[in-house]
Amino acid sequence: MQLLEFIDTEADRKVILKAYRSLLKSCNPSLSKEDRRLVRNAFEMAAEAHKQMRRKSGEPYILHPIAVAKIVAVEMGLGPTAIICALLHDTVEDTEITIDDIKFSFGAKVAEIIDGLTKISSVFDLKSSFQAENFRKLLLTLARDVRVILIKIADRLHNMRTMDSMPRHKQLKIASETMYLYAPLAHRLGLYAVKSELEDLSMKYTERDMYKDIAHKLQQTKRDRTRYINEFIKPINDELIRQGFTARIFGRPKSIFSIYNKMKKKDVAFEEVYDLFAIRIVVDSPPQKEKADCWQVYSLVTDYYQPNPQRLRDWISTPKANGYESLHTTVMGPKGRWVEIQIRTERMDEVAERGYAAHWKYKEGSQDIGLDGWLRRIRELLKNPESNALDFMDDFKLNLFSKEIYVFTPNGDLKILPVDATALDFAYEIHTDIGNHCIGAKVNHKLVPISYQLANGDQVEIITSKKQRPNEDWLNFVITSRARSKIKHAVKEIRRKIALQGKEMLERKFKTLKVDFTHENLHELVGFFQAESTLDLYFKIANKKINLTEIRALKGPNRDIVLPEDKIKPLEQQIDVDKVKHTIKQNEELLIFGESSKKLNYQFAKCCNPIPGDDVFGFITVNGAIKIHRTNCPNAISLMSNYGYRVVKARWTKAEKLAFLTGLKITGLDDVGVMNRITNVISGELKLNIRSISISSTDGIFHGDFMVYVNNTAELERLIDRLKGLKGINAVARFDVEDNS
Ligand code: MN
């Protein structure tokens, strides 16, 4: 029987087989005969199931699962089970194959993983919290098998690598989601290479111009950089050999995204970012000599180059929670440039590059508190049935992005908490009861309030009282997801008790009005008072936020409760996404200043002040209006990934003559003429209106925030170019502002 006889054309068969052979070649050669048979079965099953399907690019669909399997094998170092699952990952979702079929052919383990990977397609378009729900399901399975999440990340990575043929609005949604969910997750699991690539790919779609610009400049400066790195490395390499080390030493370029972040954070131009690369020294060390060798290399490097004493990071003595170990330092290189150096062993390097899988491989004999601790915390979060999916994701995201501090119990036990964690976070970390009854703490033997922010190395003793009760204000300063969810839970319990009193009050009121205590009547009241739920309604009644005398009765044909007519406010309009979308659909996308905009009510978002020419999208608000955001607006990422179905494509048509407010940050040397020159260009030459100017000056450097009205991006760019050309001006950059008018 010929392999893939069910594939129609010879050309397709060839392409598919070529990809499959390349996958096999890259698998671990130690794959047993039985494993090979199973991998082949999975491949054939998937290839047949997907045989009628093509990707957007036109190629046979099966090339995608094969590519995902290859990422899983090569870039994550996972074994046959994961490879089989990656090959089958889209079958249950997109084809006739069922979980039972998979269980029958490949056993319970593979079926369990595929089940975790299968999305609930019906929920996809209907629910706002689809992403969060799906994510939650994912993590629940992760609690049993981390491969679900690793394959999911590989799936996303391949989709991001091949997104060019997608329509623009889908690219934006997928890219935002990647930045919001998958990159932090990859980071948390220690997959540094994957994380950087995901970030770069996201940026490629959400910030196209900036991405191209930095990539281009990196390419232009590559020769100079290589020469510098070689000059830097030479003496160290010679010395490593002289001292008998087996080591690799090389320069690593930083990712485009991290360079961009630095430019934004420090408000500098590309040319002023000095650490475009890091030097890495990887030594081949036996387990018992790892730490000593790394420090010896450190000492050797600092014999040649002066270290910056404030920039030494020792993640060998105390590894990061995701298992990362390395020694980082910054030294003064030739031509007075600071150079970052990373020193680690081959084992540490593999863990850092390939993450969890490599971690497994070396697990014996190494400390595994970090990752296990993380999985334990996730499991606890998921066990809590109270937590709303979206809340949960925000909480989770908080944890993913935070850096950590190390603090100690009075007995000297180490606890890892995020930066800015408070005494109360610490209390909840120890035990829920300790958190709920916490009234203060002793930090390094000094009495402090529960909101006190802990610092690295603090020793913390919690003081409790039986009378203490959690309250909502606590949420203002705790930052761990554990503390947040425990407090929310406790507060909800207390609210529930109060609501019960409100319910009894309302029941009595209904009785005196001789109105039935029915679901319909309650619903009527919930709508009228704009309560979130009946529980919320009861709560507001108990708290006297709702006045019971406003409720009167009347026997009508359809309802038997009536609200004072003069007080009836229009109920908040339901979001009619379909209606809005329908209006737009005829025009494909929302044309700002165009046909569709006459029928639809849109506004420009104040968080990012879009101006004609910016890359933008529309977002349907709760009132059914549309807000126009820039695609690189900080809010956009969260909007697009959480409420993708409310996003509409938007494009500028030729703009009417209308001025848009935008902000410019200008820095330069503070001299007498500088203000004059700036205002001359803005209002004199380009005839633009200035709304406000705020200026400060420190040590001879001048900082100015100018709010200017412009018509479009072309005009803005011309203005920026002109300003940059002025004498004494160092940098000019656009910034986003809340419009306070
Ligand atoms: Mn897929």
Side-chain angles (χ1 to χ4, degrees):
M1 193 175 78
Q2 192 194 0
L3 194 59
L4 302 186
E5 57 177 1
F6 45 81
I7 300 288
D8 284 341
T9 73
E10 191 54 39
D12 281 354
R13 197 177 298 136
K14 251 189 184 153
V15 175
I16 296 170
L17 280 175
K18 191 173 163 225
Y20 176 62
R21 291 206 185 97
S22 148
L23 165 69
L24 279 186
K25 211 180 280 172
S26 56
C27 287
N28 193 332
S30 67
L31 228 55
S32 73
K33 224 175 172 183
E34 173 63 7
D35 287 340
R36 273 176 191 278
R37 192 182 64 80
L38 287 171
V39 168
R40 186 189 157 123
N41 288 352
F43 163 63
E44 287 200 70
M45 186 178 197
E48 175 152 28
H50 290 298
K51 69 182 172 188
Q52 306 291 5
M53 297 164 63
R54 291 193 178 268
R55 303 197 80 208
K56 270 256 150 37
S57 61
E59 56 182 22
Y61 191 86
I62 184 68
L63 294 184
H64 164 65
I66 295 176
V68 175
K70 201 168 167 185
I71 292 172
V72 155
V74 179
E75 292 173 55
M76 297 176 174
L78 298 176
T81 306
I83 294 168
I84 290 164
C85 291
L87 284 168
L88 294 167
H89 82 271
D90 278 331
T91 52
V92 174
E93 187 189 339
D94 297 335
T95 76
E96 309 280 277
I97 290 178
T98 65
I99 284 290
D100 285 338
D101 297 337
I102 289 185
K103 195 167 177 181
F104 179 77
S105 306
F106 300 97
K109 184 86 231 169
V110 171
E112 177 197 316
I113 295 173
I114 299 291
D115 190 37
L117 283 161
T118 304
K119 298 174 206 144
I120 324 159
S121 308
S122 57
V123 190
F124 207 105
D125 289 317
L126 300 174
K127 266 200 182 160
S128 72
S129 56
F130 153 69
Q131 277 303 336
E133 272 299 338
N134 208 23
F135 192 53
R136 189 185 157 113
K137 186 172 178 232
L138 209 70
L139 288 170
L140 266 168
T141 319
L142 158 81
R144 290 199 299 269
D145 200 309
V146 77
R147 279 174 291 203
V148 171
I149 224 150
L150 291 166
I151 294 168
K152 193 74 207 160
I153 292 172
D155 181 27
R156 177 51 62 113
L157 180 59
H158 184 248
N159 284 335
M160 288 293 293
R161 281 176 182 169
T162 53
M163 207 156 61
D164 280 337
S165 3
M166 286 265 184
R168 175 84 178 132
H169 70 284
K170 281 213 175 129
Q171 289 175 343
L172 283 172
K173 180 180 182 297
I174 294 172
S176 308
E177 220 176 73
T178 300
M179 193 64 99
Y180 188 77
L181 276 182
Y182 292 91
L185 197 55
H187 185 197
R188 204 64 180 78
L189 288 168
L191 296 158
Y192 284 95
V194 170
K195 171 221 165 208
S196 296
E197 191 180 345
L198 285 175
E199 284 172 343
D200 273 10
L201 286 167
S202 291
M203 185 184 161
K204 187 174 151 191
Y205 292 99
T206 53
E207 306 239 21
R208 290 188 284 199
D209 298 343
M210 202 37 114
Y211 180 87
K212 271 188 224 151
D213 193 38
I214 296 176
H216 178 67
K217 283 176 173 154
L218 271 177
Q219 191 54 38
Q220 272 183 326
T221 51
K222 195 174 170 194
R223 281 249 306 277
D224 282 349
R225 208 161 43 245
T226 312
R227 197 176 312 134
Y228 186 87
I229 290 173
N230 288 339
E231 186 189 343
F232 182 94
I233 285 178
K234 177 108 188 22
I236 299 180
N237 203 17
D238 292 349
E239 188 60 32
L240 282 168
I241 293 168
R242 205 165 320 151
Q243 296 199 12
F245 280 107
T246 312
R248 297 184 286 135
I249 170 166
F250 50 92
R252 284 193 95 254
K254 295 255 168 99
S255 73
I256 293 178
F257 179 75
S258 69
I259 291 169
Y260 176 51
N261 255 350
K262 195 148 278 178
M263 288 165 62
K264 267 202 308 204
K265 222 194 276 161
K266 300 206 167 150
D267 197 13
V268 295
F270 176 85
E271 290 72 21
E272 289 164 71
V273 178
Y274 62 85
D275 47 353
L276 295 170
F277 63 91
I279 300 284
R280 186 175 299 168
I281 307 176
V282 183
V283 276
D284 196 0
S285 276
Q288 68 280 11
K289 280 191 71 196
E290 282 191 296
K291 193 170 171 183
D293 279 356
C294 287
W295 283 106
Q296 201 179 333
V297 171
Y298 171 80
S299 142
L300 177 159
V301 169
T302 52
D303 283 347
Y304 283 88
Y305 302 112
Q306 187 63 37
N308 180 338
Q310 308 200 307
R311 298 301 305 268
L312 177 65
R313 297 278 179 279
D314 173 12
W315 281 305
I316 292 182
S317 308
T318 323
K320 283 194 195 179
N322 62 18
Y324 183 82
E325 291 170 81
S326 194
L327 205 57
H328 290 193
T329 184
T330 302
V331 302
M332 182 62 80
K335 298 184 191 133
R337 284 165 68 180
W338 290 112
V339 175
E340 186 189 319
I341 309 220
Q342 306 167 346
I343 302 167
R344 54 175 80 152
T345 63
E346 289 288 354
R347 177 191 65 83
M348 296 171 188
D349 194 52
E350 193 173 349
V351 170
E353 291 289 312
R354 301 218 290 186
Y356 193 81
H359 197 90
W360 264 108
K361 196 167 126 193
Y362 291 106
K363 198 174 167 195
E364 279 148 324
S366 84
Q367 297 166 317
D368 205 31
I369 36 161
L371 208 65
D372 278 352
W374 179 64
L375 289 175
R376 178 176 55 78
R377 261 174 281 166
I378 300 243
R379 250 180 247 130
E380 255 163 42
L381 260 176
L382 292 167
K383 260 193 269 163
N384 187 347
E386 290 289 311
S387 64
N388 169 291
L390 270 180
D391 272 8
F392 161 78
M393 197 159 74
D394 285 345
D395 289 349
F396 184 71
K397 188 173 158 246
L398 235 157
N399 268 357
L400 288 171
F401 281 131
S402 315
K403 301 224 170 86
E404 287 138 350
I405 56 168
Y406 301 91
V407 289
F408 300 92
T409 67
N411 300 329
D413 288 340
L414 176 71
K415 295 276 169 202
I416 303 177
L417 289 170
V419 167
D420 295 335
T422 59
L424 189 58
D425 285 304
F426 181 88
Y428 275 106
E429 192 64 29
I430 293 178
H431 196 278
T432 308
D433 274 345
I434 307 234
N436 283 341
H437 296 116
C438 176
I439 54 167
K442 277 185 182 168
V443 171
N444 306 325
H445 306 292
K446 250 176 60 188
L447 201 61
V448 299
I450 57 175
S451 59
Y452 180 86
Q453 279 190 357
L454 301 175
N456 240 330
D458 278 347
Q459 189 162 46
V460 191
E461 183 186 346
I462 296 298
I463 305 164
T464 57
S465 154
K466 272 192 187 140
K467 288 193 184 132
Q468 179 69 298
R469 292 281 172 276
N471 71 63
E472 229 148 23
D473 295 341
W474 288 11
L475 293 171
N476 294 332
F477 55 81
V478 295
I479 68 157
T480 55
S481 40
R482 184 185 160 87
R484 294 189 71 82
S485 75
K486 297 290 182 195
I487 294 168
K488 278 183 196 163
H489 183 74
V491 169
K492 226 177 235 172
E493 270 313 301
I494 297 169
R495 271 176 76 99
R496 206 189 299 275
K497 278 183 195 144
I498 297 173
L500 216 59
Q501 298 166 10
K503 185 181 179 193
E504 282 163 14
M505 288 163 73
L506 189 62
E507 273 174 334
R508 279 200 298 276
K509 176 76 189 178
F510 272 36
K511 223 172 237 166
T512 49
L513 292 174
K514 300 209 168 52
V515 166
D516 291 338
F517 199 74
T518 60
H519 182 72
E520 289 72 41
N521 284 335
L522 282 173
H523 193 72
E524 193 83 5
L525 285 180
V526 167
F528 177 73
F529 291 110
Q530 302 203 353
E532 285 167 15
S533 58
T534 42
L535 198 69
D536 188 44
L537 179 76
Y538 299 151
F539 184 74
K540 284 182 168 145
I541 290 171
N543 274 343
K544 306 265 172 349
K545 293 242 168 69
I546 287 176
N547 189 352
L548 283 179
T549 58
E550 280 188 39
I551 303 170
R552 288 179 240 142
L554 184 97
K555 287 278 178 200
N558 296 318
R559 53 184 193 181
D560 39 6
I561 192 156
V562 142
L563 303 153
E565 245 167 68
D566 51 324
K567 285 194 179 165
I568 289 183
K569 310 163 215 163
L571 282 184
E572 209 188 329
Q573 231 179 309
Q574 287 297 307
I575 327 168
D576 197 342
V577 176
D578 286 343
K579 197 173 137 213
V580 177
K581 285 215 160 162
H582 185 72
T583 320
I584 297 167
K585 215 172 257 162
Q586 291 148 2
N587 299 294
E588 271 284 83
E589 54 195 339
L590 169 63
L591 298 173
I592 304 169
F593 301 131
E595 257 312 288
S596 53
S597 61
K598 297 216 173 77
K599 289 178 223 145
L600 291 161
N601 169 15
Y602 66 87
Q603 293 162 344
F604 298 102
K606 286 175 178 172
C607 47
C608 55
N609 285 328
I611 63 179
D614 278 337
D615 241 342
V616 290
F617 68 95
F619 184 75
I620 303 172
T621 67
V622 275
N623 326 317
I626 297 178
K627 278 244 154 94
I628 308 294
H629 288 264
R630 277 157 59 187
T631 57
N632 59 2
C633 166
N635 291 332
I637 291 188
S638 121
L639 290 178
M640 286 195 279
S641 59
N642 284 328
Y643 305 100
Y645 72 105
R646 284 162 64 182
V647 168
V648 292
K649 286 188 283 182
R651 171 162 70 78
W652 302 92
T653 54
K654 54 181 182 314
E656 290 167 19
K657 206 65 181 161
L658 243 181
F660 289 82
L661 192 63
T662 190
L664 285 178
K665 225 177 232 328
I666 306 180
T667 52
L669 294 174
D670 191 16
D671 75 51
V672 212
V674 73
M675 264 300 284
N676 229 336
R677 289 197 289 275
I678 294 171
T679 49
N680 260 340
V681 167
I682 301 177
S683 44
E685 259 179 60
L686 297 176
K687 306 259 181 300
L688 300 173
N689 288 324
I690 299 178
R691 188 169 91 202
S692 67
I693 300 178
S694 85
I695 302 283
S696 68
S697 161
T698 37
D699 302 331
I701 302 291
F702 146 101
H703 297 273
D705 287 352
F706 288 73
M707 299 301 303
V708 181
Y709 286 102
V710 296
N711 291 302
N712 50 46
T713 47
E715 195 167 83
L716 179 63
E717 269 157 32
R718 196 160 61 238
L719 172 61
I720 291 177
D721 275 353
R722 273 296 288 131
L723 289 171
K724 275 184 176 162
L726 290 179
K727 194 177 132 232
I729 300 294
N730 264 355
V732 182
R734 178 174 176 188
F735 72 97
D736 305 327
V737 273
E738 284 288 330
D739 185 352
N740 295 320
S741 60

